[in-house]
């Protein structure tokens, strides 16, 4: 299948819209003539970042926060949405300050990844942060998050264990592994 | 934040339902008394699998398929939903047969991962498959998928490159790396 064989969009219709989400229906005709109705969630809002931050003691900065999708408290990485016009590096630093009370002197973009591209347009930008210093900003969280410092030498235990289950966080640690090892 | 400090669900309401998705609104009261309205996408449908399959030539079996979320053809791993009552191992083998024309004599469950747990209840089960043999089943794809065989020795190039961007697929390769290396 090549780019020239993208299906033709015959019709598109928004089935529902809420504050955060939309559901769109696409009527498609594939190059072999087959017609299908697909549903997808288009992107809403600003770009998002997920941040792998490592301190000078070679610890990852993890958070425990409420995950409404499961009504559970879960272990993950700091993350959030950029504000209008805010560069990704600044968004990463602001989220760190809001969520864990640190900022980084060095922040870099690593890769933009998708979640479930067959059904959703959502992406998140993986960022790497080092050279941390204390810096607290008030965030939009309903209550303070728990900071969990995790030794870099135990990353394999973290990603294979049963407490750290978010695919994009596992991908973020994988894609920054070479940068983490340099510290 | 501990499990005992989960917010209380004051109200829940389905804002929209479609064939594939629902949007639910939760009114929450956190342990510090702060009240917030959240939106989430609850799980619909059967469990899903994403399959890392490796042949005897030490090649990963990748697919190129239409991704409606981006209206693009994208490189990823075979995946799909289990049928009613179908064990995950059988679902993985059926998806391989439908999508790439192979089945595996050895299939194992590796880990269940989440996508965006703050906003969605979706999960996918990472499966590892080896000892492949040709076996084709008709699938529900509108047109045949392109099979791309990728040498195991070039996994780092794949996950860091710009053609393979799905976080759960990168997580799947990471979490099966030790199994892949045994082949």
């Amino acid at each position: 299948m090549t780019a020239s064989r993208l299906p033709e969009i015959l019709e598109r219709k928004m089935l529902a819209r809420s504050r955060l989400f939309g559901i769109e229906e696409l009527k498609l005709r594939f190059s072999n003539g087959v017609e299908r109705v697909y549903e997808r969630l288009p992107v809403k809002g600003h770009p998002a970042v997920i941040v792998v931050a490592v301190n000078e003691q070679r610890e990852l900065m993890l958070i425990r926060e409420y995950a409404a999708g499961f009504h559970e408290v879960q272990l993950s990485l700091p993350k959030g949405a950029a504000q209008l016009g805010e560069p990704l590096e600044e968004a990463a630093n602001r989220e760190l300050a809001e969520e864990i009370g640190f900022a980084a002197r060095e922040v870099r973009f690593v890769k933009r990844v998708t979640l479930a591209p067959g059904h959703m347009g959502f992406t998140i930008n993986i960022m790497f942060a080092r050279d941390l210093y204390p810096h607290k900003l008030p965030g939009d969280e309903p209550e303070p998050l728990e900071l969990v410092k995790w030794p870099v030498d135990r990353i394999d235990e973290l990603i294979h264990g049963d407490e750290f289950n978010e695919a994009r966080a596992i991908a973020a640690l994988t894609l920054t592994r070479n940068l983490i090892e340099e510290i």
Side-chain angles (χ1 to χ4, degrees), chain A residues 59-78:
Chain A
E59 294 167 318
L60 292 168
M61 308 301 252
L62 308 181
I63 52 164
R64 275 206 183 84
E65 73 175 334
Y66 175 65
F70 294 86
H71 192 56
E72 285 175 11
V73 173
Q74 296 185 352
L75 190 63
S76 187
L77 292 171

Side-chain angles (χ1 to χ4, degrees), chain A residues 40-103:
Chain A
R40 66 176 184 182
L41 308 175
V43 178
K44 284 188 79 165
H46 301 303
V49 292
I50 183 167
V51 191
V52 177
V54 183
N55 68 11
E56 296 303 298
Q57 289 74 46
R58 302 187 76 247
E59 294 167 318
L60 292 168
M61 308 301 252
L62 308 181
I63 52 164
R64 275 206 183 84
E65 73 175 334
Y66 175 65
F70 294 86
H71 192 56
E72 285 175 11
V73 173
Q74 296 185 352
L75 190 63
S76 187
L77 292 171
K79 69 180 82 67
Q83 295 169 349
L84 181 63
E86 185 182 39
L88 297 179
E89 291 79 6
E90 287 178 27
N93 241 343
R94 182 182 45 72
E95 290 293 341
L96 289 181
E98 292 175 1
E99 298 197 345
I100 64 166
F102 284 89

Side-chain angles (χ1 to χ4, degrees), chain A residues 15-148:
Chain A
L15 300 180
R17 288 179 206 271
S18 69
R19 187 167 49 92
L20 293 186
F21 300 107
I23 304 173
E24 188 178 37
E25 186 178 270
L26 294 181
K27 188 172 174 187
L28 300 172
R29 183 188 292 137
F30 287 82
S31 60
N32 58 357
V34 172
E35 293 187 8
R36 286 285 175 88
V37 177
Y38 276 51
E39 286 184 10
R40 66 176 184 182
L41 308 175
V43 178
K44 284 188 79 165
H46 301 303
V49 292
I50 183 167
V51 191
V52 177
V54 183
N55 68 11
E56 296 303 298
Q57 289 74 46
R58 302 187 76 247
E59 294 167 318
L60 292 168
M61 308 301 252
L62 308 181
I63 52 164
R64 275 206 183 84
E65 73 175 334
Y66 175 65
F70 294 86
H71 192 56
E72 285 175 11
V73 173
Q74 296 185 352
L75 190 63
S76 187
L77 292 171
K79 69 180 82 67
Q83 295 169 349
L84 181 63
E86 185 182 39
L88 297 179
E89 291 79 6
E90 287 178 27
N93 241 343
R94 182 182 45 72
E95 290 293 341
L96 289 181
E98 292 175 1
E99 298 197 345
I100 64 166
F102 284 89
R105 292 190 186 86
E106 185 183 333
V107 182
R108 67 167 87 171
F109 168 81
V110 175
K111 182 166 173 163
R112 191 178 77 139
V113 294
T114 65
L115 274 60
H119 293 293
M120 308 173 185
F122 301 131
T123 60
I124 195 161
N125 295 282
I126 295 172
M127 310 296 290
F128 179 70
R130 57 178 286 183
D131 204 348
L132 308 181
Y133 59 95
H135 180 56
K136 183 71 191 158
L137 288 174
D140 58 357
E141 283 70 28
E143 57 186 5
L145 304 184
E146 182 189 343
L147 170 61
V148 177

